[in-house]
Amino acid sequence: MSGHTPPRLRLGVNIDHVATIRNARGGEHPDPVRAAQIVAAVGGDGITAHLREDRRHIRDEDIARIQAATNLPLNFEMAATEEMVEIALRHRPHAACIVPERREERTTEGGLDAAGQHNRLAPVIARLNDAGIRVSLFIAPEPRQIEAAIRLGAPVVELHTGEYAHAAGEQVTVELKRLTDMAALAAKNGIEPHAGHGLTYDNVQPVAAIPHLAELNIGHFLIGEAVFVGLESAVRRMRELMDAAR
Ligand code: PXP
């Protein structure tokens, strides 16, 4: 082994789906702000929220409320649109994770094509960087996407773990190797690698064991599990599994 000491793996909790449940009835309950406070109380390292074009979960007014509710850094997931850049510049979250967004998709199904969209992304990243917002690109674990992130000057990439989460049999090992290799390639080039999407108690540990990863962002499973055991217990259990894997 290289003797590389892995950084402490941070856990960012995506609270979007608390807002999804709230929005199902159009009222105020359950409030994602309360979820953020519980995540903070239980030792989570960050809050992630995705303001979608259709506002299907987090809404505009939630952003400032979530920021005010805790001292945790907000990782603001956003499409690379003028509307979202303006919102990010207004709220100045700790980080902005640029994700692809298709209106009909149920969730963020694939990674951002950073390689194919250089000219569209470059000014967006520059404006966010200039405002002191830490830019992250949500990309597939592929060399060409990491190379594009390097050219674009992104300080962070978040590797999409969806393919890994959906893999079966021998494909699991293949996907895990892609994540491991791409985390190493990013780190070697001075980019901090994060990972997320589709992670659960059952599949988180091999990802948490990848030495260069600095952060995992986990949402849907934790909020679903919280229905049964409470958010506090769900986050605690995920944290324990992550720690045990390192
Ligand atoms: N990271 C990013 C960039 C995401 O867009 C999402 C949710 O879509 C997540 C992490 C969390 O994924 P999940 O909800 O499947 O845990």
Side-chain angles (χ1 to χ4, degrees):
M1 289 299 289
S2 64
H4 173 87
T5 309
R8 180 178 181 275
L9 185 59
R10 296 192 300 268
L11 171 59
V13 178
N14 182 321
I15 58 173
D16 286 339
H17 296 302
V18 177
T20 308
I21 298 171
R22 175 196 64 187
N23 298 354
R25 286 292 169 94
E28 302 302 324
H29 184 84
D31 190 343
V33 162
R34 189 163 158 205
Q37 288 165 333
I38 291 171
V39 171
V42 80
D45 301 290
I47 301 296
T48 291
H50 182 181
L51 185 70
R52 278 184 170 266
E53 185 194 17
D54 63 10
R55 308 313 198 253
R56 71 175 74 156
H57 29 65
I58 294 296
R59 300 192 287 237
D60 299 59
E61 61 273 22
D62 292 324
I63 304 167
R65 294 174 62 241
I66 291 168
Q67 285 178 301
T70 78
N71 290 324
L72 292 182
L74 173 64
N75 176 33
F76 179 66
E77 286 185 19
M78 54 175 272
T81 61
E82 183 57 31
E83 181 196 20
M84 290 301 152
V85 172
E86 283 173 17
I87 292 171
L89 294 179
R90 229 175 11 253
H91 291 280
R92 306 211 169 218
H94 166 79
C97 181
I98 302 181
V99 302
E101 201 174 299
R102 284 187 298 277
R103 200 169 303 179
E104 301 77 19
E105 70 186 356
R106 256 193 273 174
T107 178
T108 312
E109 283 158 5
L112 183 74
D113 183 12
Q117 294 187 43
H118 179 97
N119 293 344
R120 191 166 87 89
L121 293 172
V124 169
I125 294 169
R127 286 166 73 194
L128 295 168
N129 271 342
D130 287 350
I133 300 169
R134 200 151 187 253
V135 176
S136 162
L137 303 181
F138 189 43
I139 55 172
E142 292 169 1
R144 62 190 285 270
Q145 299 298 348
I146 304 278
E147 284 151 16
I150 297 166
R151 283 195 301 276
L152 284 161
V156 177
V157 291
E158 180 163 327
L159 302 176
H160 197 306
T161 51
E163 298 276 333
Y164 160 77
H166 293 129
E170 284 172 16
Q171 197 57 28
V172 177
T173 316
V174 173
E175 294 300 335
L176 204 52
K177 182 166 182 332
R178 288 207 307 149
L179 291 165
T180 307
D181 291 349
M182 292 310 103
L185 181 63
K188 194 174 105 188
N189 286 282
I191 296 183
E192 186 175 283
H194 299 177
H197 202 89
L199 296 176
T200 68
Y201 294 157
D202 288 338
N203 66 20
V204 74
Q205 288 199 299
V207 176
I210 295 173
H212 292 97
L213 287 180
E215 179 174 310
L216 300 183
N217 283 301
I218 308 182
H220 184 268
F221 177 83
L222 284 175
I223 304 307
E225 190 63 10
V227 171
F228 304 112
V229 302
L231 187 55
E232 221 179 286
S233 300
V235 173
R236 266 212 190 99
R237 175 91 187 114
M238 191 60 84
R239 177 79 256 170
E240 281 165 12
L241 290 167
M242 287 165 55
D243 289 342
R246 286 235 148 175

